[in-house]
């Protein structure tokens, strides 16, 4: 597997999906290991970012716009 | 008596059959995520609320046609994405002054300035917001909405192979933005160029 092909499979590896070949490549290639580590770092930091909260009346607005017609 | 819904497919099936209770459950399950997605695309609270409302109106109108063999989330986010594009276009068409629709590029309504964002999260968010639209959307879907490549492909209506290429290119751009910003952060290695 080439580095580029492995990098196209990074997301599958992150998600723990069928990517054994890419994972083996990451284990054996210092550059891909570094790239994957950076991606993992970014993914975790973004995932922990607080979600923007909707206005408190939005749920009611949605229901009204659909069911009060 | 309220009926209990256990699975997404059951909720969709009953909502498509006209159950208000089921549709309410669908909205309850997804509206906060849809709002967050719209907000990250439009970067304006009022527009994101409008987009969320319009998304569910459209979903309600067309849920009978939804293919229940497919997951719901990509379909919802696809509708939301199209609504966001319509809202952004209407802002341009109505000739509002530049400052009012410049949020598509740089907003005064900056979620990353919220106190609960760490400095690191702020830097990452800003770098992502600086990406070209196409890349920004798929990076948001991947890293904030936590979709996998298959779901992103269904949401955007683009083959998985293309999504993988776009993610790859988006990350090359992100690395350039983030290398300086994240230099010295534990766990981040600053070398720029991807292997070929």
């Amino acid at each position: 597997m080439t580095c580029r092909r492995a990098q196209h499979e990074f997301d599958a590896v992150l998600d723990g999906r069928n990517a054994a070949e890419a994972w083996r490549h990451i284990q054996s290639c210092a550059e891909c290991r570094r790239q994957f580590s950076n991606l993992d770092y970014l993914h975790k930091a973004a995932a922990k970012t607080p979600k923007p909260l909707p206005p408190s009346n939005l749920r009611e607005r949605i229901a009204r716009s659909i069911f009060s017609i | 008596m309220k009926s209990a819904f256990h699975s997404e497919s059951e909720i969709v099936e009953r909502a498509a059959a006209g159950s208000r209770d089921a549709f309410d459950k669908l909205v309850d399950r997804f509206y906060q995520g849809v709002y967050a997605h719209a907000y990250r695309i439009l970067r304006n609270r009022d527009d994101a609320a409008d987009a969320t409302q319009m998304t569910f109106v459209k979903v309600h109108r067309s849920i009978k046609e939804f293919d229940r063999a497919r997951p719901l989330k990509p379909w919802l986010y696809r509708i939301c994405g199209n609504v966001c594009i319509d809202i952004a276009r209407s802002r341009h068409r109505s000739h509002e002054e530049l400052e009012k629709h410049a949020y598509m590029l740089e907003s005064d309504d900056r979620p990353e300035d919220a106190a609960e964002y760490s400095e690191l999260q702020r830097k990452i968010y800003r770098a992502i917001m600086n990406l070209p639209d196409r890349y920004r959307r798929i990076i948001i879907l991947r890293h904030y909405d936590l979709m996998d490549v298959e779901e992103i492909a269904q949401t955007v209506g683009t083959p998985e192979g293309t999504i993988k290429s776009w993610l790859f290119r988006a990350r090359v751009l992100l690395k350039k933005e983030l290398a300086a910003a994240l230099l010295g952060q534990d766990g981040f290695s600053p070398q720029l160029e991807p292997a070929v």
Side-chain angles (χ1 to χ4, degrees), chain B residues 18-80:
Chain B
S19 162
R20 174 173 176 170
D21 194 20
F23 198 82
D24 277 339
K25 285 201 163 41
L26 186 152
V27 174
D28 284 340
R29 189 173 285 194
F30 288 104
Y31 86 99
Q32 290 181 326
V34 168
Y35 173 83
H37 181 69
Y39 186 29
R40 287 184 172 122
I41 292 177
L42 294 165
R43 307 188 72 189
N44 178 282
R45 288 179 173 85
D46 292 339
D47 287 348
D50 289 347
T52 307
Q53 181 179 336
M54 288 161 71
T55 296
F56 283 101
V57 169
K58 283 175 183 273
V59 166
H60 187 254
R61 280 187 197 140
S62 52
I63 196 158
K64 283 181 187 162
E65 283 86 57
F66 173 65
D67 176 1
R68 273 169 259 160
R70 304 178 82 90
L72 184 62
K73 188 175 172 183
W75 184 64
L76 273 178
Y77 281 58
R78 183 171 191 163
I79 292 172
C80 176

Coordinates of all heavy atoms in Angstrom, one line a residue, chain B residues 18-80:
Chain B
G18 N -48.0 9.4 9.1 CA -48.8 10.5 9.5 C -48.8 10.7 11.0 O -49.6 11.6 11.5
S19 N -48.0 9.9 11.8 CA -48.1 10.1 13.2 C -47.3 11.3 13.7 O -46.1 11.5 13.5 CB -47.4 8.8 13.9 OG -47.0 9.1 15.2
R20 N -48.0 12.2 14.4 CA -47.4 13.4 14.9 C -46.4 13.1 16.0 O -45.4 13.7 16.1 CB -48.5 14.4 15.4 CG -47.8 15.6 16.0 CD -48.7 16.7 16.4 NE -47.9 17.7 17.1 CZ -48.3 18.9 17.4 NH1 -49.5 19.3 17.1 NH2 -47.6 19.8 18.1
D21 N -46.8 12.1 16.8 CA -46.0 11.7 17.9 C -44.6 11.2 17.4 O -43.6 11.6 17.9 CB -46.7 10.6 18.7 CG -46.1 10.3 20.0 OD1 -45.4 11.2 20.5 OD2 -46.3 9.2 20.5
A22 N -44.7 10.5 16.3 CA -43.4 10.0 15.7 C -42.6 11.1 15.2 O -41.4 11.1 15.4 CB -43.7 8.9 14.7
F23 N -43.3 12.0 14.5 CA -42.5 13.1 13.9 C -41.9 14.0 15.0 O -40.8 14.5 14.9 CB -43.3 14.0 13.0 CG -42.5 14.8 12.1 CD1 -41.9 14.3 10.9 CD2 -42.2 16.2 12.4 CE1 -41.1 15.1 10.1 CE2 -41.4 16.9 11.6 CZ -40.8 16.4 10.4
D24 N -42.6 14.2 16.1 CA -42.1 14.9 17.2 C -40.8 14.3 17.8 O -39.8 14.9 18.1 CB -43.1 15.0 18.4 CG -44.1 16.1 18.2 OD1 -43.8 17.1 17.4 OD2 -45.2 16.1 18.7
K25 N -40.8 13.0 17.8 CA -39.7 12.3 18.3 C -38.5 12.4 17.3 O -37.3 12.6 17.8 CB -40.0 10.8 18.5 CG -40.8 10.5 19.7 CD -40.7 9.1 20.2 CE -41.2 8.9 21.6 NZ -42.5 9.7 21.9
L26 N -38.8 12.4 16.1 CA -37.7 12.6 15.1 C -37.1 14.0 15.3 O -35.9 14.2 15.2 CB -38.3 12.5 13.7 CG -37.4 12.5 12.5 CD1 -38.1 11.7 11.3 CD2 -37.2 13.9 12.0
V27 N -37.9 15.0 15.4 CA -37.4 16.4 15.6 C -36.6 16.4 16.9 O -35.5 17.0 16.9 CB -38.6 17.4 15.7 CG1 -38.1 18.8 16.0 CG2 -39.3 17.5 14.4
D28 N -37.1 15.9 18.0 CA -36.4 15.9 19.3 C -35.0 15.3 19.1 O -34.1 15.7 19.7 CB -37.2 15.0 20.3 CG -38.4 15.8 20.9 OD1 -38.4 17.0 20.7 OD2 -39.3 15.1 21.4
R29 N -35.0 14.2 18.3 CA -33.7 13.5 18.2 C -32.6 14.3 17.4 O -31.5 14.2 17.7 CB -34.0 12.1 17.5 CG -32.8 11.2 17.6 CD -33.1 9.8 17.0 NE -33.9 9.0 18.0 CZ -34.1 7.7 17.9 NH1 -33.6 7.1 16.9 NH2 -34.8 7.1 18.8
F30 N -33.1 15.0 16.4 CA -32.1 15.6 15.5 C -32.0 17.1 15.5 O -31.1 17.7 14.9 CB -32.5 15.2 14.1 CG -32.2 13.7 13.8 CD1 -33.2 12.8 13.8 CD2 -30.9 13.3 13.6 CE1 -32.9 11.4 13.5 CE2 -30.6 11.9 13.4 CZ -31.6 11.0 13.4
Y31 N -33.0 17.9 16.1 CA -33.0 19.3 15.8 C -31.7 20.0 16.3 O -31.3 21.0 15.7 CB -34.3 20.0 16.2 CG -34.4 20.4 17.7 CD1 -34.1 21.8 18.0 CD2 -34.7 19.6 18.7 CE1 -34.2 22.2 19.3 CE2 -34.7 20.0 20.0 CZ -34.5 21.3 20.3 OH -34.6 21.8 21.6
Q32 N -31.2 19.6 17.5 CA -30.0 20.3 18.0 C -28.8 20.1 17.1 O -28.0 21.0 16.9 CB -29.8 19.8 19.4 CG -30.8 20.3 20.4 CD -30.5 19.9 21.8 OE1 -30.0 18.8 22.1 NE2 -30.9 20.7 22.8
G33 N -28.7 18.9 16.6 CA -27.6 18.6 15.7 C -27.7 19.4 14.4 O -26.7 19.9 13.8
V34 N -28.9 19.4 13.9 CA -29.2 20.1 12.6 C -28.9 21.6 12.8 O -28.3 22.3 12.0 CB -30.7 19.9 12.1 CG1 -31.0 20.9 11.0 CG2 -30.8 18.5 11.7
Y35 N -29.3 22.1 14.0 CA -29.1 23.6 14.3 C -27.5 23.8 14.3 O -27.0 24.8 13.7 CB -29.7 24.0 15.6 CG -29.3 25.4 16.0 CD1 -29.9 26.5 15.5 CD2 -28.2 25.6 16.9 CE1 -29.6 27.8 15.9 CE2 -27.8 26.8 17.3 CZ -28.5 27.9 16.7 OH -28.1 29.2 17.1
A36 N -26.8 23.0 15.0 CA -25.4 23.1 15.1 C -24.7 23.1 13.7 O -23.8 23.9 13.4 CB -24.8 22.1 16.0
H37 N -25.2 22.2 12.9 CA -24.6 22.1 11.6 C -24.9 23.4 10.8 O -24.0 23.9 10.1 CB -25.2 20.9 10.9 CG -24.7 20.7 9.5 ND1 -23.4 20.3 9.2 CD2 -25.3 20.8 8.3 CE1 -23.2 20.2 7.9 NE2 -24.3 20.5 7.3
A38 N -26.2 23.8 10.8 CA -26.5 25.1 10.1 C -25.7 26.3 10.6 O -25.3 27.1 9.8 CB -28.0 25.3 10.2
Y39 N -25.5 26.3 11.9 CA -24.8 27.4 12.5 C -23.3 27.4 12.0 O -22.8 28.5 11.7 CB -24.9 27.3 14.0 CG -24.3 28.4 14.8 CD1 -24.3 29.7 14.3 CD2 -23.8 28.3 16.1 CE1 -23.7 30.8 15.0 CE2 -23.3 29.3 16.8 CZ -23.2 30.6 16.3 OH -22.7 31.6 17.0
R40 N -22.8 26.2 11.9 CA -21.4 26.2 11.5 C -21.2 26.5 10.0 O -20.2 27.0 9.6 CB -20.8 24.8 11.8 CG -20.5 24.7 13.3 CD -19.9 23.3 13.6 NE -19.5 23.4 15.0 CZ -19.9 22.5 15.9 NH1 -20.7 21.5 15.6 NH2 -19.6 22.6 17.2
I41 N -22.3 26.3 9.2 CA -22.2 26.7 7.8 C -22.5 28.2 7.7 O -21.8 28.9 7.0 CB -23.2 25.9 7.0 CG1 -22.8 24.4 7.0 CG2 -23.3 26.4 5.6 CD1 -23.8 23.5 6.2
L42 N -23.5 28.7 8.3 CA -24.0 30.0 8.1 C -23.4 31.0 9.0 O -23.3 32.2 8.7 CB -25.5 30.1 8.3 CG -26.3 29.3 7.2 CD1 -27.8 29.1 7.7 CD2 -26.3 30.0 5.9
R43 N -22.9 30.6 10.2 CA -22.3 31.4 11.2 C -23.1 32.6 11.6 O -22.6 33.7 11.8 CB -20.9 31.9 10.7 CG -20.0 30.8 10.2 CD -18.6 31.2 9.9 NE -17.9 31.5 11.1 CZ -16.7 32.1 11.1 NH1 -16.1 32.4 9.9 NH2 -16.1 32.3 12.2
N44 N -24.4 32.3 11.8 CA -25.3 33.3 12.2 C -26.5 32.6 13.0 O -27.1 31.7 12.4 CB -25.8 34.2 11.0 CG -26.8 35.2 11.4 OD1 -28.0 34.9 11.7 ND2 -26.4 36.4 11.5
R45 N -26.7 33.0 14.2 CA -27.7 32.3 15.0 C -29.1 32.4 14.4 O -29.8 31.3 14.3 CB -27.8 32.9 16.4 CG -26.5 32.5 17.2 CD -26.6 33.2 18.6 NE -25.5 32.7 19.4 CZ -24.3 33.2 19.4 NH1 -24.0 34.2 18.6 NH2 -23.3 32.7 20.1
D46 N -29.6 33.5 14.0 CA -30.9 33.7 13.4 C -31.1 32.8 12.2 O -32.1 32.2 12.0 CB -31.3 35.1 13.2 CG -31.4 36.0 14.4 OD1 -31.6 35.3 15.5 OD2 -31.2 37.2 14.4
D47 N -30.1 32.9 11.3 CA -30.2 32.2 10.0 C -30.1 30.7 10.3 O -30.8 29.9 9.7 CB -29.0 32.5 9.1 CG -29.2 33.9 8.5 OD1 -30.3 34.5 8.6 OD2 -28.2 34.4 7.9
A48 N -29.4 30.3 11.3 CA -29.3 28.8 11.6 C -30.6 28.3 12.2 O -31.1 27.2 11.8 CB -28.2 28.6 12.6
A49 N -31.3 29.2 13.0 CA -32.6 28.8 13.5 C -33.6 28.7 12.4 O -34.4 27.8 12.3 CB -33.1 29.8 14.6
D50 N -33.6 29.7 11.5 CA -34.5 29.6 10.3 C -34.2 28.4 9.5 O -35.1 27.7 9.0 CB -34.3 30.9 9.4 CG -34.8 32.1 10.0 OD1 -35.5 32.0 11.0 OD2 -34.5 33.2 9.5
A51 N -32.9 28.1 9.2 CA -32.6 26.9 8.4 C -33.1 25.6 9.1 O -33.6 24.7 8.4 CB -31.0 26.9 8.2
T52 N -32.9 25.6 10.4 CA -33.4 24.4 11.1 C -34.9 24.2 10.9 O -35.4 23.1 10.6 CB -33.0 24.4 12.6 OG1 -31.6 24.7 12.7 CG2 -33.3 23.2 13.3
Q53 N -35.6 25.3 11.2 CA -37.1 25.2 11.0 C -37.5 24.8 9.6 O -38.3 23.9 9.4 CB -37.6 26.6 11.3 CG -39.2 26.7 11.3 CD -39.7 28.1 11.6 OE1 -39.0 28.8 12.3 NE2 -40.9 28.4 11.2
M54 N -36.9 25.4 8.6 CA -37.2 25.1 7.2 C -36.8 23.7 6.9 O -37.5 23.0 6.1 CB -36.5 26.1 6.3 CG -37.1 27.5 6.3 SD -36.0 28.8 5.7 CE -36.0 28.4 3.9
T55 N -35.7 23.2 7.4 CA -35.3 21.8 7.2 C -36.4 20.8 7.6 O -36.8 19.9 6.9 CB -34.0 21.5 7.9 OG1 -33.0 22.3 7.4 CG2 -33.6 20.0 7.8
F56 N -36.9 21.0 8.8 CA -37.9 20.1 9.3 C -39.3 20.3 8.6 O -40.0 19.3 8.5 CB -38.1 20.2 10.8 CG -36.9 19.5 11.5 CD1 -35.9 20.2 12.0 CD2 -36.9 18.1 11.6 CE1 -34.8 19.6 12.6 CE2 -35.8 17.5 12.2 CZ -34.7 18.2 12.7
V57 N -39.6 21.4 8.2 CA -40.8 21.6 7.3 C -40.7 20.8 6.1 O -41.6 20.0 5.7 CB -41.1 23.1 7.0 CG1 -42.2 23.2 6.0 CG2 -41.4 23.8 8.3
K58 N -39.5 20.9 5.4 CA -39.3 20.1 4.2 C -39.3 18.6 4.5 O -39.8 17.8 3.7 CB -37.9 20.5 3.6 CG -38.0 21.8 2.8 CD -36.6 22.3 2.3 CE -36.7 23.6 1.7 NZ -37.0 23.6 0.2
V59 N -38.7 18.2 5.6 CA -38.6 16.8 6.0 C -40.0 16.3 6.2 O -40.4 15.2 5.7 CB -37.8 16.6 7.2 CG1 -38.0 15.2 7.8 CG2 -36.3 16.8 6.9
H60 N -40.9 17.1 6.8 CA -42.2 16.6 7.1 C -43.0 16.5 5.8 O -43.8 15.5 5.6 CB -42.9 17.7 8.0 CG -44.3 17.3 8.4 ND1 -45.5 17.8 7.9 CD2 -44.7 16.3 9.3 CE1 -46.5 17.2 8.4 NE2 -46.1 16.3 9.3
R61 N -42.7 17.4 4.8 CA -43.4 17.3 3.5 C -43.0 16.1 2.7 O -43.8 15.6 1.9 CB -43.1 18.6 2.7 CG -44.0 19.7 3.1 CD -43.8 20.9 2.2 NE -44.3 22.1 2.7 CZ -43.6 23.3 2.6 NH1 -42.5 23.4 2.0 NH2 -44.2 24.4 3.2
S62 N -41.8 15.7 2.9 CA -41.2 14.7 1.9 C -40.9 13.3 2.6 O -40.3 12.5 1.9 CB -40.0 15.2 1.2 OG -39.1 15.7 2.1
I63 N -41.2 13.2 3.8 CA -40.8 11.9 4.5 C -41.4 10.7 3.9 O -40.8 9.6 4.0 CB -41.0 12.0 6.0 CG1 -40.2 10.9 6.7 CG2 -42.5 11.9 6.4 CD1 -39.9 11.2 8.2
K64 N -42.6 10.8 3.3 CA -43.2 9.7 2.6 C -42.3 9.1 1.5 O -42.4 8.0 1.2 CB -44.6 10.0 2.1 CG -45.6 10.1 3.2 CD -47.0 10.5 2.6 CE -47.9 10.7 3.7 NZ -49.1 11.4 3.3
E65 N -41.6 10.0 0.9 CA -40.7 9.6 -0.2 C -39.3 9.1 0.2 O -38.6 8.6 -0.6 CB -40.5 10.8 -1.2 CG -41.7 11.0 -2.1 CD -42.7 12.0 -1.5 OE1 -42.3 13.1 -1.1 OE2 -43.9 11.6 -1.3
F66 N -39.0 9.3 1.5 CA -37.7 8.9 2.0 C -37.5 7.4 1.9 O -38.4 6.6 2.3 CB -37.5 9.4 3.4 CG -36.3 8.9 4.1 CD1 -35.0 9.3 3.6 CD2 -36.3 8.0 5.1 CE1 -33.9 8.8 4.2 CE2 -35.2 7.5 5.7 CZ -33.9 7.9 5.2
D67 N -36.4 7.0 1.4 CA -36.1 5.5 1.3 C -35.7 5.0 2.6 O -34.6 5.3 3.1 CB -34.9 5.4 0.2 CG -34.5 3.9 0.1 OD1 -35.0 3.1 0.8 OD2 -33.6 3.7 -0.7
R68 N -36.5 4.2 3.2 CA -36.3 3.8 4.6 C -35.2 2.8 4.8 O -34.8 2.4 5.9 CB -37.6 3.3 5.2 CG -38.4 4.4 5.9 CD -39.8 3.9 6.2 NE -40.7 4.3 5.2 CZ -41.9 3.7 5.0 NH1 -42.3 2.7 5.7 NH2 -42.7 4.2 4.1
A69 N -34.7 2.3 3.6 CA -33.5 1.4 3.7 C -32.2 2.2 4.0 O -31.2 1.6 4.3 CB -33.4 0.7 2.4
R70 N -32.3 3.5 3.9 CA -31.1 4.3 4.1 C -31.1 5.0 5.4 O -32.2 5.2 6.0 CB -31.0 5.4 3.0 CG -31.0 4.8 1.6 CD -31.0 5.9 0.5 NE -29.7 6.4 0.3 CZ -28.8 5.9 -0.6 NH1 -29.2 4.9 -1.4 NH2 -27.6 6.4 -0.7
P71 N -29.9 5.4 5.9 CA -29.9 6.1 7.2 C -30.5 7.5 7.1 O -30.4 8.1 6.0 CB -28.5 6.1 7.6 CG -27.7 6.0 6.3 CD -28.6 5.1 5.4
L72 N -31.2 7.9 8.2 CA -31.9 9.2 8.1 C -31.0 10.4 8.1 O -31.2 11.4 7.5 CB -32.9 9.3 9.3 CG -33.8 10.5 9.4 CD1 -34.7 10.5 8.2 CD2 -34.6 10.4 10.7
K73 N -29.9 10.3 9.0 CA -29.1 11.5 9.2 C -28.5 12.2 7.9 O -28.6 13.4 7.8 CB -28.0 11.2 10.2 CG -27.2 12.4 10.7 CD -26.2 12.0 11.8 CE -25.2 13.1 12.1 NZ -24.2 12.7 13.1
P74 N -27.9 11.4 7.0 CA -27.4 12.0 5.8 C -28.5 12.8 5.0 O -28.2 13.8 4.5 CB -26.8 10.9 5.0 CG -26.5 9.8 6.0 CD -27.6 10.0 7.1
W75 N -29.7 12.2 5.0 CA -30.8 12.8 4.2 C -31.2 14.1 4.9 O -31.3 15.1 4.2 CB -32.0 11.8 4.2 CG -33.1 12.3 3.4 CD1 -33.2 12.5 2.1 CD2 -34.5 12.6 4.0 NE1 -34.5 12.9 1.7 CE2 -35.3 12.9 2.9 CE3 -35.0 12.5 5.2 CZ2 -36.6 13.3 3.0 CZ3 -36.4 12.8 5.4 CH2 -37.1 13.2 4.3
L76 N -31.3 14.1 6.2 CA -31.6 15.3 7.0 C -30.6 16.4 6.7 O -30.9 17.6 6.5 CB -31.6 15.0 8.5 CG -32.9 14.5 9.1 CD1 -32.6 14.3 10.6 CD2 -34.0 15.6 9.0
Y77 N -29.3 16.0 6.8 CA -28.2 17.0 6.7 C -28.1 17.5 5.3 O -27.6 18.6 5.0 CB -26.9 16.5 7.2 CG -26.8 16.5 8.7 CD1 -27.8 15.9 9.5 CD2 -25.8 17.2 9.4 CE1 -27.7 15.9 10.9 CE2 -25.8 17.3 10.8 CZ -26.7 16.6 11.5 OH -26.7 16.7 12.9
R78 N -28.5 16.7 4.3 CA -28.5 17.1 2.9 C -29.5 18.2 2.7 O -29.3 19.2 2.1 CB -28.8 15.9 2.0 CG -28.7 16.3 0.6 CD -28.7 15.0 -0.3 NE -28.4 15.4 -1.7 CZ -28.1 14.5 -2.6 NH1 -28.0 13.2 -2.3 NH2 -27.8 14.9 -3.8
I79 N -30.7 17.9 3.2 CA -31.8 18.9 3.1 C -31.3 20.2 3.8 O -31.5 21.3 3.3 CB -33.1 18.4 3.8 CG1 -33.7 17.3 2.9 CG2 -34.1 19.5 3.9 CD1 -34.8 16.5 3.5
C80 N -30.8 20.1 5.0 CA -30.3 21.3 5.8 C -29.2 22.0 5.0 O -29.3 23.3 4.9 CB -29.7 20.8 7.1 SG -29.0 22.1 8.1

